[in-house]
Structures are given as C-alpha cells and as structure tokens.
C-alpha cells in the first residue's frame, strides 16, 4: 500500500500530483501537444487560448446523503429543481463529445455525492468508451454489494473513498449521518472482489482529512487499509474550515498569492450542463447543452477573467468574480 500526504491542496503542484500521475494511459500525441500549449499559455498569461481544457470535472450529483458541517450542499439541496440535482446521460454524453479530444482526466464529482446519481456507473462507462480516464471521490455511503458488477463493468479508473474516522464517534463528528462500520464492510468487500476478479481498476485510494480529533485514529485507519488491501492511503491537511487551528488551514491562509490555473487548464460542468471555470464560487460562464466548448472557452467571460487574474489593475469589460477571488488573490 502506498502512502501519500497532501499539504496545500490548491497549489498547481498538488493539482499535478492528483491528476498527472494517473493520465499516462490517456496520452496521445494530440492530447500531449494540447496540454503543453495550455501550460505554456498559463505561464505567459495569455487570455485567448488555442488549447482546450484537459482536466474536466462533471458534477454528476448536486445532492448529498451526509451533513458535513462546513458544506453548503446539504443545506441548499432542498431548493434544487429536479433538473439541477443529477446530470442526465444525455448531458453527460454532450460533455464527453465536447472534451474527448483534449481531456486527460474526467472527475465525476464536485458539490454532491456522485454515487447517488442512479446512472453513475453508466456515465463512467460512457467516458471509458472513448478512452477518457475517470476519477471519483465519494463518501461511499450509497454503495451497496449489489453495485459490484456495475462498478467493475464501468471501468472506473480511480476510486477515492473518504474515511474520516475509524470509530463511529470520531467519524460522526464530521461525516454527520454516515455509518462508518457499513463503509468499512463495503470497502473490505470491494477489495476482496477486486483481488478475486483479478482487476487492476478501479485504483482504490482511501483519503483521510487530518482533523485534530483524528490524531489517535489515523494509525488504526492505516492498519485497516493495509489489512484489506487498498492501493493507497492519502492523508490530506485540513483546509475545509472545520478545524480553524489545523495546520492545513494555516497553509491556505499563508499562500493566497498565486496564479489560478483553472482558467487555463480545466473547467467544471455542473449537473444541469452549466459551465463554471472552477469549483470555488462556481459562476456560470456558459451552457454545454446549448453551446460548444469552442464557443465557451474563449467567450468574453473567460477572456476577461484571465486578463483580470494576470493583471490585478485590469478592469474587466464584463463582470467577473475571478479578479477578486478570495482563494487565489
């Protein structure tokens, strides 16, 4: 079992670590050339791009089954209309068609719990059909043993399971409403089935946020993960706002001044098809169900936002939140 630790989750280095080490199977000459053009444009601060986004998020579910204290999803989901709750196969097919020529990594999550989408495994398979590696981060509470066949058939590349606690008491402090014992049983079952079926994928990565109340439980989690045979364990510094005094929170406060990379390298497609430049404030920059990626990627909002991020004194010609982003500026 490999063991990793993420410090500054929002840095370009962290971005590269999370994505690049798993994209080798997807690299083609055309996709490699596109990624190099995008990185060069980021370095030069270009506003109009010839490259296309190569790391894409599809928010396949905008609702969640847990109530993590800092998260706004569970507070807002009761007001979401049906078309904004789950991404449909038709919308997802549109995403795949638009990004398949450049995408090296398609993450099937953002604001909600992705496994709640009744079509989740079908969506992952649609991306795999065109050679796009997929990744998902999940609280795993919606997984059931009867989902095993669908999971393996989907050819999901990377499965990140959030295990923020070993005992019910510790786990429940952050993952409110979750059942850690059921999670551990299903995770152990998945590892046994993966080994028994001789499958390489999904790569199973258990992620633990290093909350202050988990200091004594991390060794127990590590021992458990090693015993059941997960592929890796990732310890992430706390920067979610739950432990204000945690080391991760200090890291984020100290490192505000850096170039945003989302406007050059990636984008987020929300459940209803609306396009946002990142997973922060999630402003709407377009609609993938009505516009092509070509039309969205260099529209006024994107171009003016890039200029505002590169030059703090620049006054955008259209309103954009990127010039005053609290995370990168």
């Amino acid at each position: 079992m490999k063991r990793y630790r993420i410090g500054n989750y929002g840095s370009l280095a962290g971005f590269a670590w999370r994505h690049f080490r798993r994209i080798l199977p997807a690299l083609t000459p055309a996709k490699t050339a596109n990624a190099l053009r995008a990185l060069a444009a980021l370095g030069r601060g270009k506003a109009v791009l010839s490259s296309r986004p190569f790391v894409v998020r599809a928010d396949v579910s905008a609702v969640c089954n847990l109530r993590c204290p800092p998260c706004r999803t569970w507070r807002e989901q009761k007001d979401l209309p049906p078309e904004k709750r789950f991404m449909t196969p038709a919308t997802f097919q549109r995403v795949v068609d638009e990004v398949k020529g450049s995408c090296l990594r398609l993450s099937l999550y953002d604001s909600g719990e992705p496994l709640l989408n009744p079509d989740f495994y079908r969506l992952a398979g649609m991306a795999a059909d065109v050679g796009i590696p997929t990744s998902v981060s999940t609280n795993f509470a919606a997984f059931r043993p009867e989902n095993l066949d669908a999971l393996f058939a989907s050819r999901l590349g990377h499965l990140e399971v959030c295990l923020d606690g070993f005992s019910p008491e510790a786990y429940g402090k952050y993952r409110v409403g979750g059942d850690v014992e059921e999670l551990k049983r299903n995770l152990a079952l998945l590892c046994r089935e993966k080994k028994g079926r001789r499958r390489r994928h999904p790569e199973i990565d258990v992620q633990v946020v290093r909350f202050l109340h988990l200091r004594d439980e991390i060794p127990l989690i590590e021992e458990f993960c090693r015993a059941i045979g997960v592929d890796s364990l990732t310890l992430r510094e706390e920067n979610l706002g739950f432990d204000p005094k945690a080391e991760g929170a200090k890291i984020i406060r100290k490192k505000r001044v850096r170039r945003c990379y989302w406007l050059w390298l990636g984008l987020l497609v929300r459940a209803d098809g609306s396009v946002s430049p990142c997973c922060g404030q999630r402003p709407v920059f377009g609609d993938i169900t009505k516009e092509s990626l070509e039309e969205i990627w260099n529209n006024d909002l994107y171009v003016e936002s890039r200029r505002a991020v590169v030059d703090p004194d620049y006054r955008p010609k259209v309103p954009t939140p990127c010039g005053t982003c609290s995370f990168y500026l």
Side-chain angles (χ1 to χ4, degrees):
M1 181 186 74
K2 298 177 181 178
R3 188 176 186 273
Y4 302 103
R5 181 167 173 172
I6 298 177
N8 188 8
Y9 205 74
S11 69
L12 183 56
F15 179 91
W17 180 90
R18 294 194 302 280
H19 296 289
F20 292 177
R21 70 188 185 91
R22 300 186 182 102
I23 64 173
L24 291 179
L27 283 175
T28 64
K31 288 185 177 183
T32 302
N34 175 76
L36 291 174
R37 288 199 306 273
L39 289 167
L42 169 64
R44 295 196 297 267
K46 291 185 63 176
V48 179
L49 308 183
S50 62
S51 59
R52 294 296 174 263
F54 60 86
V55 178
V56 178
R57 279 194 178 191
D59 191 13
V60 302
S61 172
V63 298
C64 193
N65 46 3
L66 301 187
R67 303 184 303 279
C68 303
C71 183
R72 67 190 190 198
T73 295
W74 62 271
R75 293 183 175 89
E76 299 174 353
Q77 63 191 27
K78 65 180 183 299
D79 299 321
L80 281 179
E83 67 273 13
K84 291 181 178 289
R85 298 174 75 85
F86 298 120
M87 184 175 287
T88 65
T91 298
F92 188 78
Q93 185 63 62
R94 175 74 174 178
V95 175
V96 168
D97 290 343
E98 289 293 323
V99 305
K100 63 184 179 182
S102 62
C103 187
L104 296 174
R105 191 73 173 171
L106 180 55
S107 299
L108 307 177
Y109 66 96
D110 184 58
S111 63
E113 169 48 46
L115 299 192
L116 291 178
N117 187 318
D119 295 304
F120 174 79
Y121 302 106
R122 178 184 174 187
L123 303 185
M126 290 164 63
D129 286 342
V130 295
I132 302 177
T134 51
S135 170
V136 70
S137 179
T138 169
N139 60 41
F140 215 51
F143 183 82
R144 298 292 180 267
E146 53 265 31
N147 300 138
L148 282 166
D149 290 340
L151 173 58
F152 288 116
S154 74
R155 292 154 291 163
L156 179 71
H158 178 242
L159 176 68
E160 181 182 280
V161 178
C162 300
L163 181 56
D164 298 311
F166 191 78
S167 67
E169 295 76 19
Y171 181 80
K173 285 186 177 181
Y174 186 79
R175 300 291 177 182
V176 179
D179 184 341
V180 72
E181 297 301 333
E182 182 181 46
L183 187 161
K184 289 187 289 186
R185 285 195 300 271
N186 286 334
L187 183 57
L189 172 63
L190 174 58
C191 290
R192 289 197 303 272
E193 286 290 319
K194 180 183 173 184
K195 183 178 180 180
R197 300 186 192 204
R198 298 182 180 181
R199 298 296 186 97
R200 292 183 58 193
H201 297 101
E203 177 186 348
I204 303 171
D205 175 39
V206 170
Q207 178 175 274
V208 182
V209 179
R210 299 179 73 248
F211 294 120
L212 295 177
H213 66 272
L214 292 187
R215 286 178 174 174
D216 296 334
E217 297 218 338
I218 288 177
L220 299 174
I221 295 172
E222 187 168 358
E223 181 181 356
F224 168 75
C225 290
R226 184 173 287 107
I228 66 173
V230 305
D231 296 294
S232 58
L233 171 66
T234 299
L235 302 179
R236 171 182 169 179
E237 294 299 334
E238 203 289 276
N239 56 18
L240 303 171
F242 186 69
D243 288 336
K245 296 182 180 180
E247 191 63 29
K250 298 175 185 177
I251 290 173
I252 291 299
R253 285 197 296 269
K254 290 178 181 178
K255 297 190 176 182
R256 293 287 183 182
V257 183
R258 56 186 182 274
R259 173 79 55 84
C260 167
Y261 50 79
W262 275 95
L263 290 164
W264 283 264
L265 308 185
L267 58 74
L268 163 68
V269 184
R270 301 167 77 179
D272 62 352
S274 58
V275 173
S276 297
C278 71
C279 57
Q281 302 179 64
R282 301 187 184 96
V284 176
F285 276 25
D287 188 332
I288 204 75
T289 66
K290 300 175 183 177
E291 306 166 90
S292 69
L293 179 61
E294 188 82 16
E295 293 172 307
I296 297 170
W297 191 234
N298 280 314
N299 66 17
D300 288 345
L301 280 166
Y302 261 107
V303 170
E304 291 300 292
S305 295
R306 293 180 187 123
R307 287 172 176 159
V309 168
V310 170
D311 182 1
D313 296 324
Y314 180 75
R315 294 186 177 182
K317 298 176 182 177
V318 295
T320 170
C322 297
T324 56
C325 176
S326 61
F327 190 77
Y328 285 101
L329 299 175

